[in-house]
């Protein structure tokens, strides 16, 4: 598992070079990675179906109970197969769809990185590890949605997706921490066996709501549904992969994975059932007012995600079985239809179903793939989508409200399928691009294979039991045997509901144009909803930041420093006073004469710097104070700090003097009146007094030698160093020190770039002057 994740990241970083050398064949070459992963996971399928489980664990933060742990069971295997198998066709498709794009290498880098992060997510057996991969999918999705960054819609859609899913991710992290505290472990496989302890814990309701916030935002459940249709600004390969088959199902995966520990309660049913029901109803209505193929498919994806959430909320064995079958069916037909939409746009120059017709004559293979996938979308036999719909109806018979929502939403799915399959392909040929022609092999291969698989699995459903049985057993946390069939042996209520759904779908399709006009007019009169709330919240946040910056961090440096120091004195000083934080006793100790002399020198330097009217005198006085502090370090046996202080003060004085050579003549500040000087003096004295009191209070506390003893005992034994300070910096704080070095290096590069940028105009001016004088 770790090898699969690392290999995916490795190939991702090599992708730009592969594209550079392989050019138009790069998609086929890069597809070998997901193909190899599919073969590998397929090899493991019989073993997992037979009851085997695979786990890997590597220590990361053992003191906090955080490991890089992976676990492969039926549920994670099902998702891994979907990620790698569909990913293979997406990689091939992207090579044809984005052929000639100068940023194709970068696209593959991000896409394959996303695939690696998604694999890590479904394999993760530690809550913190899962969160890390969860956020990696959000970050890579941000770059993929905003791939066409020269368009404002792409940038805003990418930011919206990142903010919504990222905010939910932070809430989920808080829920994970509470769940780990309640269960006493962050290992997911161990948490799943503590159902009673977790659900009886006082934190159960809080952790459940926080975790579901992360799942709902990721899987675009109401009221967070608005970001998914807007993310259709991404290139079609992104929509086909992330927003139908993989990333949006991460929330579904999380709910399914944690359902043995968190599910089965009334709160679970109400939260998941309610969110799923509102999602399918709202998305179903909004789907009827779309004419863009990708928007149509996006809202039907929301319907499918809401249906899966409802089924997991019910949580019965029948509902879980229906969820797993429907999940597979939806992944196959929706990835297919998104790729078809991209192929139509690529060849015909439009995705508007009201402007397209007759494409069946020039794109026959694409039409066949579309027709098969549309049958599954509409829930018609002999497609796998029909079996999934039947199982969903059967499992929801005990919840009438959810059942009604499912019937209405599936009728909408029938309309979407009809619009996608009939409008662009039937009738007289009419497209914006008069030079329309059949799609290339890379554009129709994936849709055709995926749609045929849906037909094969629907006709012979026993073929998928080898993956479905262990997946359902993993969600239920117990063995569960079942049989899949295409047509029931007798007339059932579920079959009757399917007939009703088809009838409602046909009627709605025939009335689609007046419904579309009505909903479009209604939208122009009702400008409200979660998307509007998001826009207002974002505008409010920007206004608050600008106002705060203008008031506190204006262009006047003195006012900036004044506001920072004032708020620090007010908040920290007031809090410490009210809470009794200042606790110390001043007991004069013996000191040598030269120590008093150094203190006087430091104070004199500071006072001179404040009162100086010349910059050079102020800088010199600051240097005197700094060197005085360095000498104090020497006296108190801290030579390393003294050397650092000497170096810093020397560089500071030199840099300031060099800067002063280019500064204009010092002029009195506009705000420098007698009253302002008194104010500034008072605030400065208050700040100094606060720091002094805090230091005295800290020094009065009992000295805790725990860390000192630890470093004394382990400096030589663990790091082979007798200089404890050096060992702390280089070994115990290695990552922190590396970060500081990196910051300095980046700052140096930035300064170099600025200096280099200023040098070019001067050279250009010099060349121009020489040309004029020659």
């Amino acid at each position: 598992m770790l090898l699969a994740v690392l290999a995916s990241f490795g190939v991702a970083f090599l992708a730009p070079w592969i594209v550079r050398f392989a050019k138009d064949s790069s998609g086929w070459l890069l597809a070998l990675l997901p193909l190899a992963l599919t073969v590998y996971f397929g090899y493991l399928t019989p073993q997992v179906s037979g009851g085997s489980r695979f786990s890997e664990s590597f220590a990361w933060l053992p003191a906090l109970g955080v490991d890089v742990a992976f676990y492969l069971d039926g549920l994670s295997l099902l998702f891994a197969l979907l990620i790698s198998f569909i990913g293979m066709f997406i990689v091939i498709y992207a090579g044809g769809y984005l052929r000639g794009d100068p940023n194709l290498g970068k696209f593959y880098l991000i896409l394959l990185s996303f695939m690696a992060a998604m694999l890590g997510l479904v394999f993760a057996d530690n809550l913190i590890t899962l969160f890390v991969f969860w956020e990696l999918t959000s970050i890579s999705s941000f770059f993929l949605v905003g791939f066409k960054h020269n368009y404002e819609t792409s940038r805003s859609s990418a930011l919206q997706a990142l903010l919504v899913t990222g905010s939910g991710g932070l809430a989920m992290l808080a829920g994970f921490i509470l769940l780990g505290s309640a269960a006493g472990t962050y290992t997911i496989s161990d948490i799943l066996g503590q159902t009673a302890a977790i659900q009886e814990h006082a934190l159960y309701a809080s952790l459940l709501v926080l975790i579901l916030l992360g799942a709902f935002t990721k899987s675009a459940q109401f009221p967070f549904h608005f970001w998914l249709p807007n993310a259709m600004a991404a290139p079609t390969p992104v929509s086909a992969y992330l927003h139908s088959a993989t990333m949006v199902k991460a929330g579904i995966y999380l709910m399914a994975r944690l359902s043995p520990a968190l599910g089965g309660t009334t709160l679970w049913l109400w939260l998941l059932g309610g969110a799923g029901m509102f999602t399918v109803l709202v998305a179903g209505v909004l789907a009827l007012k779309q004419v863009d193929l990708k928007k149509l498919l996006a809202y039907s994806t929301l319907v499918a995600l809401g249906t899966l959430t409802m089924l997991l909320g019910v949580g019965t064995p029948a509902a879980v079985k229906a969820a797993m079958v429907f999940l597979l069916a939806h992944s196959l037909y929706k990835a297919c239809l998104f790729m078809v939409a991209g192929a139509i746009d690529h060849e015909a120059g439009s995705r508007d179903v009201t402007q397209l017709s007759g494409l069946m004559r020039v794109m026959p293979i694409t039409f066949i793939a579309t027709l098969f996938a549309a049958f599954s979308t509409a829930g018609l036999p002999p497609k796998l989508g029909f079996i999934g719909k039947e199982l969903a109806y059967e499992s929801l018979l005990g919840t009438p409200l959810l059942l009604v929502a499912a019937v209405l939403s599936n009728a909408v799915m029938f309309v979407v399928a009809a619009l996608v399959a009939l409008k662009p392909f039937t009738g007289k040929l009419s497209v914006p691009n008069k030079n329309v022609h059949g799609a290339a092999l890379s554009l129709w291969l994936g849709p055709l294979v995926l749609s045929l698989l849906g037909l094969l699995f629907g006709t012979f459903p026993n073929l998928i039991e080898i993956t479905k049985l262990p997946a359902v057993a993993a969600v239920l946390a117990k063995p569960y045997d079942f049989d899949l069939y295409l047509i029931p042996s007798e007339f059932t209520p579920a079959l009757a509901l399917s007939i009703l759904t088809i009838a409602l779908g046909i009627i709605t399709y025939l009335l689609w144009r007046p419904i579309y006009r009505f909903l479009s007019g209604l939208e122009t009169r009702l400008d409200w909803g979660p998307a509007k709330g998001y826009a207002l919240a974002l505008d409010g946040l920007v206004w608050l930041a600008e106002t705060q910056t203008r008031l506190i961090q204006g262009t006047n440096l003195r006012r900036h420093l004044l506001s920072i120091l004032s708020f620090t004195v007010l908040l920290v000083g007031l809090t410490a006073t009210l809470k009794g934080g200042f606790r110390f006793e001043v007991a004069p100790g013996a000191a040598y004469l030269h120590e008093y002399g150094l203190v006087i020198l430091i104070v004199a330097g500071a006072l001179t710097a404040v009162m100086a009217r010349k910059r050079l005198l102020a800088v010199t006085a600051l240097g005197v104070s700094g060197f005085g502090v360095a000498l104090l370090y020497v006296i108190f046996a801290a030579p390393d700090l003294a050397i650092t202080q000497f170096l810093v003060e020397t560089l500071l004085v030199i840099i300031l003097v060099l800067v002063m050579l280019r500064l204009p003549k010092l002029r009195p500040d506009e705000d420098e009146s007698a009253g302002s000087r008194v104010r500034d003096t008072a605030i400065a004295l208050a700040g100094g007094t606060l720091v002094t009191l805090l230091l005295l209070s800290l020094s009065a506390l009992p000295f805790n030698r725990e860390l000192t003893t630890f470093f004394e005992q382990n400096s030589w034994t663990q790091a082979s160093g007798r200089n404890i300070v050096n060992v702390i910096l280089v070994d115990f704080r290695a990552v922190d020190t590396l970060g500081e070095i990196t910051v300095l290096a980046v700052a140096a590069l930035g300064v170099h770039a600025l200096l280099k940028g200023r040098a070019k105009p001067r050279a250009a001016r010099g060349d121009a002057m020489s040309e004029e004088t020659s």
Side-chain angles (χ1 to χ4, degrees), residues 177-214:
I177 294 174
L178 294 181
L179 178 58
S181 301
T185 179
Y186 288 103
T187 302
I188 298 175
S189 54
D190 293 337
I191 290 174
L192 300 182
Q194 303 186 44
T195 305
I198 294 172
Q199 295 185 2
E200 294 172 2
H201 200 280
L203 296 174
Y204 170 71
S206 300
L207 66 87
L208 178 61
V209 170
L210 290 171
I211 292 174
L212 289 182
L213 277 175

Coordinates of all heavy atoms in Angstrom, one line a residue, residues 177-214:
I177 N -9.9 14.5 16.7 CA -9.2 14.6 18.0 C -10.1 14.2 19.1 O -9.7 13.5 20.1 CB -8.7 16.0 18.2 CG1 -7.6 16.3 17.2 CG2 -8.1 16.2 19.6 CD1 -7.1 17.8 17.2
L178 N -11.4 14.6 19.0 CA -12.3 14.2 20.1 C -12.6 12.7 20.0 O -12.7 12.0 21.0 CB -13.7 15.0 19.9 CG -13.6 16.5 20.1 CD1 -15.0 17.1 19.9 CD2 -13.1 16.8 21.5
L179 N -12.7 12.2 18.8 CA -12.9 10.7 18.6 C -11.7 9.9 19.2 O -11.9 8.9 19.8 CB -13.1 10.4 17.1 CG -13.3 8.9 16.8 CD1 -14.5 8.3 17.5 CD2 -13.5 8.8 15.3
G180 N -10.5 10.4 18.9 CA -9.3 9.7 19.4 C -9.3 9.8 20.9 O -8.9 8.8 21.6
S181 N -9.7 10.9 21.5 CA -9.8 11.0 23.0 C -10.8 10.1 23.6 O -10.6 9.4 24.6 CB -10.1 12.5 23.4 OG -9.1 13.3 22.9
A182 N -12.0 10.0 22.9 CA -13.1 9.2 23.4 C -12.7 7.7 23.3 O -13.0 6.9 24.2 CB -14.4 9.5 22.6
A183 N -12.0 7.3 22.2 CA -11.7 5.9 22.0 C -10.4 5.5 22.6 O -10.1 4.3 22.8 CB -11.7 5.6 20.5
G184 N -9.5 6.5 23.0 CA -8.2 6.2 23.5 C -7.2 5.8 22.5 O -6.1 5.3 22.9
T185 N -7.5 6.0 21.2 CA -6.6 5.6 20.2 C -7.0 6.3 18.9 O -8.1 6.7 18.7 CB -6.6 4.1 19.9 OG1 -5.7 3.8 18.8 CG2 -8.0 3.6 19.5
Y186 N -6.0 6.6 18.0 CA -6.2 7.2 16.7 C -6.2 6.1 15.6 O -6.4 6.5 14.4 CB -5.2 8.2 16.4 CG -5.4 9.5 17.2 CD1 -4.5 9.8 18.3 CD2 -6.4 10.4 16.9 CE1 -4.7 10.9 19.1 CE2 -6.5 11.6 17.7 CZ -5.7 11.8 18.8 OH -5.8 12.9 19.5
T187 N -6.1 4.9 15.9 CA -6.1 3.8 14.9 C -7.5 3.4 14.6 O -8.3 3.0 15.4 CB -5.3 2.6 15.5 OG1 -4.0 3.0 15.8 CG2 -5.3 1.5 14.4
I188 N -7.9 3.6 13.3 CA -9.2 3.4 12.9 C -9.7 2.0 13.1 O -10.9 1.8 13.6 CB -9.4 3.8 11.4 CG1 -9.0 5.3 11.3 CG2 -10.8 3.6 10.9 CD1 -9.1 5.8 9.8
S189 N -8.9 1.0 12.8 CA -9.4 -0.4 13.0 C -9.6 -0.7 14.4 O -10.5 -1.6 14.7 CB -8.3 -1.3 12.4 OG -7.0 -1.1 13.0
D190 N -8.9 0.0 15.3 CA -9.2 -0.2 16.8 C -10.5 0.5 17.2 O -11.2 0.1 18.1 CB -8.0 0.2 17.6 CG -6.8 -0.7 17.4 OD1 -7.0 -1.8 17.0 OD2 -5.7 -0.2 17.6
I191 N -10.7 1.7 16.6 CA -11.8 2.5 17.0 C -13.1 1.8 16.6 O -14.1 1.9 17.3 CB -11.7 3.9 16.3 CG1 -10.6 4.7 16.9 CG2 -13.1 4.7 16.4 CD1 -10.3 6.0 16.2
L192 N -13.1 1.1 15.5 CA -14.4 0.5 15.0 C -14.9 -0.6 15.9 O -16.1 -1.0 15.9 CB -14.1 -0.2 13.6 CG -13.7 0.8 12.5 CD1 -13.5 0.1 11.2 CD2 -14.7 2.0 12.4
G193 N -14.0 -1.1 16.8 CA -14.5 -2.1 17.8 C -15.0 -1.6 19.1 O -15.2 -2.3 20.0
Q194 N -15.1 -0.2 19.2 CA -15.5 0.4 20.5 C -16.8 1.2 20.3 O -16.9 2.3 20.8 CB -14.3 1.3 21.0 CG -13.0 0.6 21.1 CD -12.0 1.5 21.8 OE1 -12.3 2.2 22.7 NE2 -10.8 1.5 21.2
T195 N -17.7 0.6 19.7 CA -19.0 1.3 19.4 C -19.7 1.8 20.6 O -20.0 3.0 20.7 CB -19.9 0.3 18.6 OG1 -19.2 -0.1 17.4 CG2 -21.2 1.1 18.2
A196 N -19.9 0.9 21.6 CA -20.6 1.3 22.8 C -19.9 2.4 23.6 O -20.5 3.4 24.0 CB -20.8 0.0 23.7
A197 N -18.6 2.2 23.7 CA -17.8 3.2 24.5 C -17.9 4.6 23.8 O -18.0 5.6 24.5 CB -16.4 2.8 24.6
I198 N -17.9 4.7 22.5 CA -17.9 5.9 21.8 C -19.3 6.6 21.8 O -19.4 7.7 22.1 CB -17.4 5.7 20.4 CG1 -15.9 5.3 20.4 CG2 -17.6 7.0 19.6 CD1 -15.4 5.0 19.0
Q199 N -20.3 5.8 21.5 CA -21.6 6.3 21.5 C -22.2 6.7 22.8 O -23.1 7.5 22.9 CB -22.6 5.3 20.7 CG -22.2 5.1 19.3 CD -23.1 4.2 18.5 OE1 -24.2 3.8 19.1 NE2 -22.8 4.0 17.3
E200 N -21.7 6.1 23.9 CA -22.1 6.5 25.2 C -21.3 7.6 25.8 O -21.5 8.1 26.9 CB -22.1 5.2 26.2 CG -23.0 4.2 25.8 CD -22.8 2.9 26.5 OE1 -21.9 2.9 27.4 OE2 -23.5 1.9 26.3
H201 N -20.3 8.0 25.1 CA -19.4 9.1 25.6 C -20.1 10.4 25.5 O -20.9 10.7 24.7 CB -18.1 9.1 24.8 CG -16.9 9.8 25.4 ND1 -16.8 11.2 25.5 CD2 -15.9 9.3 26.1 CE1 -15.7 11.5 26.1 NE2 -15.1 10.4 26.5
A202 N -19.7 11.3 26.5 CA -20.3 12.6 26.5 C -20.0 13.5 25.3 O -20.7 14.4 24.9 CB -19.9 13.4 27.8
L203 N -18.9 13.1 24.6 CA -18.5 13.9 23.4 C -19.1 13.4 22.1 O -18.7 13.9 21.0 CB -17.0 13.9 23.3 CG -16.2 14.6 24.5 CD1 -14.7 14.4 24.3 CD2 -16.5 16.1 24.5
Y204 N -19.9 12.3 22.2 CA -20.3 11.7 20.9 C -21.0 12.6 20.0 O -20.7 12.7 18.8 CB -21.3 10.5 21.3 CG -22.0 9.9 20.1 CD1 -21.2 9.2 19.1 CD2 -23.3 10.2 19.8 CE1 -21.9 8.7 18.0 CE2 -23.9 9.6 18.7 CZ -23.2 8.9 17.8 OH -23.8 8.4 16.7
A205 N -22.0 13.4 20.5 CA -22.7 14.3 19.6 C -21.8 15.4 19.0 O -21.9 15.6 17.8 CB -23.9 15.0 20.4
S206 N -20.9 15.9 19.8 CA -20.0 16.9 19.3 C -19.1 16.4 18.2 O -18.9 16.9 17.1 CB -19.2 17.5 20.4 OG -20.0 18.1 21.4
L207 N -18.4 15.2 18.5 CA -17.5 14.7 17.5 C -18.2 14.2 16.2 O -17.7 14.3 15.1 CB -16.7 13.5 18.1 CG -17.4 12.2 18.6 CD1 -17.4 11.2 17.4 CD2 -16.6 11.6 19.8
L208 N -19.4 13.7 16.4 CA -20.2 13.3 15.2 C -20.5 14.4 14.3 O -20.3 14.4 13.1 CB -21.5 12.6 15.6 CG -22.4 12.1 14.5 CD1 -21.6 11.1 13.6 CD2 -23.7 11.5 15.0
V209 N -21.0 15.5 14.9 CA -21.3 16.7 14.1 C -20.1 17.3 13.4 O -20.1 17.6 12.2 CB -22.0 17.8 14.9 CG1 -22.1 19.1 14.2 CG2 -23.3 17.3 15.4
L210 N -18.9 17.3 14.1 CA -17.7 17.9 13.5 C -17.2 17.0 12.4 O -16.8 17.5 11.3 CB -16.6 18.0 14.6 CG -16.9 19.1 15.6 CD1 -15.9 19.0 16.8 CD2 -16.8 20.5 15.0
I211 N -17.2 15.7 12.6 CA -16.7 14.8 11.5 C -17.6 14.8 10.3 O -17.2 14.9 9.1 CB -16.6 13.3 12.1 CG1 -15.5 13.3 13.1 CG2 -16.4 12.3 10.9 CD1 -15.4 11.9 13.8
L212 N -18.9 14.9 10.5 CA -19.9 14.9 9.4 C -19.8 16.3 8.7 O -20.1 16.3 7.4 CB -21.3 14.7 9.9 CG -21.6 13.3 10.4 CD1 -23.1 13.2 10.8 CD2 -21.3 12.3 9.3
L213 N -19.4 17.3 9.3 CA -19.1 18.6 8.6 C -18.1 18.4 7.5 O -18.2 18.9 6.4 CB -18.7 19.7 9.6 CG -19.9 20.4 10.3 CD1 -19.3 21.4 11.3 CD2 -20.8 21.2 9.3
G214 N -17.0 17.7 7.9 CA -16.0 17.4 6.9 C -16.5 16.5 5.8 O -16.2 16.8 4.6

